[in-house]
């Protein structure tokens, strides 16, 4: 497994691999890898001759009062997981390499970045879109894999890739959950044992809405109320947002249908967690 610390090394290697006719599969992450990341890597392994993993805690996608400084890291464990998943190249640049003095270019995906996480985290998706564009330019992937756990992020990256004619196929992968249903996330490591217990309310809300939908309920307001009720039973939980929206446009919807998105963000103490589901599709 090769480890590249600078964008120059990464891009030179990628261009050379492309000249040799190799295909490149790419999984961008912020590290502190778990089974969710591993599922992307294992699929990526099948999708390209060369599998590239990036580990970069991207400062421009964090707000000023967010967790950039304490975002969890574990380089040795990340390397072990990467090796086990058959990664060929780990790209782990520093912030100064990615954003040298004078950097001033950004990518904005306008409408899709406004609701949900975009409204609670202003500027977040500009930071994501910008770093993913840079990473695509450095890694030259034929296919890039993203988790549906970050549903809005995936929608934005798909839109951006189409709008900018980027020559990369975007693959969305299912949400990987703990045995009890909690969506895996590097940020779960922030939770105290009691918060970890309370965090199950996100999954319970998802399951409840799916059950009510399967039983024939189609009113978005009623389905939302069901989820609200589940979460309000958890005293440690405060809702950041809880919404039903069109799964493609992310526009609000009154009537739930197959492909309607339920998306929620909930805070347990200082930790903000997200989850989502597409109604009528597999969990
Ligand atoms: P992150 O390191 O949190 O930026 O995530 C890197 C990639 O892994 C993103 O495409 C995420 O959507 C994906 N990912 C994170 N958690 C999960 C999960 N529980 N299931 C599936 N994909 C995930």
């Amino acid at each position: 497994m090769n480890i590249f610390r600078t964008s120059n090394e990464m891009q030179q290697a990628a261009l050379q691999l492309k000249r040799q006719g190799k295909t490149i599969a790419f999984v961008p992450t912020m590290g502190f890898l778990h089974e969710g990341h591993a599922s992307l890597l294992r699929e990526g392994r099948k999708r390209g001759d060369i599998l590239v993993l990036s580990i970069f805690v991207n400062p421009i996608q964090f707000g000023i009062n967010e967790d950039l400084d304490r975002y969890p890291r574990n380089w040795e464990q990340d390397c072990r997981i990467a090796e086990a998943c058959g990664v060929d190249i780990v790209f782990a640049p520093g912030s100064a390499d990615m954003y040298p003095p004078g950097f001033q270019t950004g990518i904005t995906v306008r409408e899709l970045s406004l609701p949900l996480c975009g409204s609670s985290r202003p500027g977040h998706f500009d930071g994501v879109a910008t770093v993913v564009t840079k990473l695509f330019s450095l890694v030259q992937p034929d296919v890039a894999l993203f988790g549906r756990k970050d549903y809005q992020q995936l929608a934005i990256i798909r839109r951006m890739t189409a709008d900018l004619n980027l020559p990369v196929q975007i693959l969305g992968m299912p949400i990987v959950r703990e045995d009890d249903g909690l969506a895996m996330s590097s940020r779960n490591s922030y939770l105290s044992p009691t918060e970890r217990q309370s965090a199950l309310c996100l999954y319970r809300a998802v399951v409840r809405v799916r059950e009510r939908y399967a039983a024939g309920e189609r009113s978005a307001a009623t389905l939302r109320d069901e989820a609200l009720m589940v979460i309000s039973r958890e005293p440690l939980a405060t809702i950041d947002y809880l919404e039903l929206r069109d799964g493609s446009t992310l526009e609000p919807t009154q009537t739930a249908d197959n492909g309607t998105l339920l998306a929620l963000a909930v805070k347990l103490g200082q930790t903000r967690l997200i989850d989502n589901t597409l109604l009528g599709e597999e969990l």
Side-chain angles (χ1 to χ4, degrees), residues 27-40 53-56 61 71 145-151 153-154 157 171 173-178 182-188 274:
V27 177
T29 78
M30 300 205 296
F32 209 69
L33 302 184
H34 51 65
E35 194 50 38
H37 301 112
S39 73
L40 271 54
L53 161 72
S54 68
I55 297 180
F56 179 58
Q61 73 185 65
Y71 196 83
L145 298 94
F146 294 86
R148 285 185 219 134
K149 152 103 186 332
D150 300 274
Y151 187 93
Q153 167 174 286
L154 174 59
I157 287 162
L171 214 61
M173 296 290 293
I175 301 177
V176 177
R177 298 178 178 278
E178 303 284 358
L182 179 68
M184 288 193 183
S185 164
S186 307
R187 290 190 167 100
N188 292 348
I274 56 173

Side-chain angles (χ1 to χ4, degrees), residues 116-130:
L116 307 173
C117 288
S119 114
S120 343
R121 305 183 68 187
H124 168 66
F125 287 121
D126 290 0
V128 170
T130 303

